[in-house]
Amino acid sequence: MKKKFNLKEKYRQFKAWQTRPHQVEPMTENEHECHNCHDHYKGNYCPRCGQSEKLGRYSLKTAFYNFLDATGMGDRGMFRTMRDLILRPGYLIRDFVNGMQASYFGPFKMYFLLAAVSLLVVHGVNIKRENFGDSEKEETQVQKEETKADETMPADTLSLASQTPSKEVEEQTTKKDEEHSVFTENELKKIDEIPDKILPFFEKLEDRAPNVFLLLLLMVISGELYQFFKRSPNVPGLRYSEFFVALLYSVNMYSIYSIVLTFFGLTTLASWSMLLVMIPIKQFTGYSWWRTILKFTLASALAFTILIVGLILFALILIGLVKLFV
């Protein structure tokens, strides 16, 4: 008699697998003859030349793994790491930080690999064969044309020019106002334009290289995030280097989701998947959901406040130096 499908039991088994550390393949007790050096040994690898006991005659599987080795993707369980980043990201980070580093694909190596794949997908290698940067270029061209149209003065406005004060009077008034102010009008405009110059850069970066944008974003707020998460229940004495690895693996997890969604043309959903980075941090640190969201929100607000204030102070100091030496 077949057993009934029990959803609760399946979920319990999944949670047990999810939280259990990775199980390294046990050592075999059978005796093998190495196909490479013909040495006899017990275990999974030849102690003389290091070849796996699973390797035999050349096959398509062997050719595939040779291709992965040639591209630098064939070592340390790349596919297992990608699977665990999707199903158990925070617990993968826990295992890696606790010393199981030979079982997983390194976070920095995976980041550069996924960054390369992401660039290919964003720039045309997708199901729609669409370069998602083209729409941005078209919008920029439209904005330029609108700006040119605004700069062209209609003939009707020429009659109003005679009613406006002369340029000499305006310049004299402006000079008097500038004498009574610390900074000139142009200097104040430059200070106000700082956010307007920074935001478009990050918007372009988010569209064309989302995983690079997220990594830079997390680097900016990593110090503040660490201060909020360093007393985690699951990792006593959490170090900044360990926390940064957790952030990097979180970016890798996001990159996998983003690449798949962008490949199928779901770019809006791919952008929103950026919020998933809280899942591995929550699993890794052991905080509850509401604490994790609250800490992320507070750390982000604090980091961006410090960043904006720092940029404004830097601009003020730069302008002051220019006025001092020029």
Side-chain angles (χ1 to χ4, degrees):
M1 184 177 180
K2 293 183 178 180
K3 292 182 179 180
K4 292 183 179 180
F5 180 79
N6 191 329
L7 184 59
K8 288 185 177 180
E9 179 63 21
K10 292 294 182 183
Y11 179 73
R12 188 193 65 79
Q13 293 176 1
F14 171 74
K15 291 297 293 183
W17 169 82
Q18 192 182 40
T19 56
R20 185 174 61 242
H22 170 66
Q23 303 295 311
V24 180
E25 186 178 356
M27 183 80 72
T28 177
E29 294 295 330
N30 299 328
E31 186 172 326
H32 309 283
E33 180 182 356
C34 179
H35 295 280
N36 183 52
C37 63
H38 303 288
D39 194 16
H40 291 268
Y41 64 95
K42 290 183 179 180
N44 300 330
Y45 296 92
C46 175
R48 185 176 179 184
C49 67
Q51 180 167 292
S52 173
E53 56 90 10
K54 293 181 180 180
L55 289 179
R57 294 188 63 178
Y58 200 80
S59 62
L60 289 175
K61 182 179 179 181
T62 307
F64 177 68
Y65 281 113
N66 285 344
F67 169 76
L68 292 180
D69 286 333
T71 55
M73 300 184 292
D75 62 333
R76 303 203 176 193
M78 182 186 70
F79 295 108
R80 180 175 62 250
T81 303
M82 294 177 69
R83 179 204 66 185
D84 285 4
L85 281 175
I86 295 172
L87 299 177
R88 51 185 302 271
Y91 305 110
L92 176 152
I93 297 168
R94 176 204 61 189
D95 296 344
F96 187 86
V97 168
N98 287 337
M100 297 184 66
Q101 298 172 14
S103 299
Y104 295 106
F105 205 70
F108 291 95
K109 194 173 183 179
M110 173 160 281
Y111 169 77
F112 289 112
L113 170 65
L114 292 174
V117 176
S118 177
L119 287 174
L120 291 175
V121 173
V122 168
H123 292 284
V125 184
N126 51 68
I127 200 168
K128 293 185 177 181
R129 297 181 181 178
E130 181 181 353
N131 187 336
F132 294 109
D134 289 342
S135 58
E136 183 184 341
K137 292 178 182 178
E138 292 174 2
E139 291 176 2
T140 305
Q141 187 64 28
V142 171
Q143 290 176 356
K144 288 181 178 178
E145 291 175 359
E146 291 176 353
T147 303
K148 288 181 179 179
D150 293 338
E151 291 176 352
T152 305
M153 183 180 291
D156 296 337
T157 59
L158 293 174
S159 60
L160 298 174
S162 59
Q163 302 176 10
T164 59
S166 62
K167 289 185 178 180
E168 294 180 358
V169 175
E170 288 182 355
E171 288 177 358
Q172 290 176 0
T173 307
T174 304
K175 286 181 180 179
K176 289 180 181 179
D177 293 336
E178 289 178 353
E179 288 175 357
H180 296 286
S181 63
V182 178
F183 296 103
T184 64
E185 185 179 351
N186 291 332
E187 290 169 348
L188 291 173
K189 283 183 180 179
K190 289 180 181 179
I191 296 172
D192 293 335
E193 289 173 357
I194 290 175
D196 296 333
K197 292 180 178 180
I198 294 172
L199 291 176
F201 168 76
F202 282 106
E203 288 174 358
K204 289 180 181 179
L205 191 63
E206 183 182 5
D207 292 335
R208 299 185 180 184
N211 51 347
V212 177
F213 166 77
L214 182 57
L215 180 62
L216 290 176
L217 180 64
L218 291 177
M219 286 177 67
V220 168
I221 66 174
S222 62
E224 289 76 10
L225 280 172
Y226 174 67
Q227 295 303 320
F228 281 92
F229 284 97
K230 65 181 181 181
R231 295 182 180 85
S232 66
N234 284 357
V235 191
L238 179 64
R239 303 169 184 170
Y240 175 77
S241 58
E242 297 171 337
F243 186 71
F244 187 79
V245 166
L247 292 178
L248 189 57
Y249 264 131
S250 301
V251 173
N252 292 337
M253 181 209 67
Y254 158 73
S255 297
I256 295 172
Y257 284 106
S258 177
I259 288 169
V260 173
L261 293 171
T262 305
F263 179 81
F264 289 103
L266 305 173
T267 53
T268 303
L269 194 58
S271 299
W272 280 103
S273 65
M274 193 176 296
L275 298 175
L276 295 175
V277 297
M278 285 188 281
I279 294 176
I281 300 301
K282 187 261 180 190
Q283 292 179 351
F284 174 60
T285 58
Y287 284 108
S288 61
W289 269 115
W290 75 269
R291 280 181 177 271
T292 303
I293 295 172
L294 179 63
K295 287 175 180 290
F296 253 96
T297 304
L298 292 175
S300 301
L302 178 61
F304 285 112
T305 301
I306 294 173
L307 179 63
I308 292 172
V309 171
L311 288 172
I312 292 175
L313 289 175
F314 176 76
L316 292 173
I317 293 171
L318 189 61
I319 292 172
L321 291 173
V322 170
K323 292 183 69 174
L324 183 64
F325 293 104
V326 176

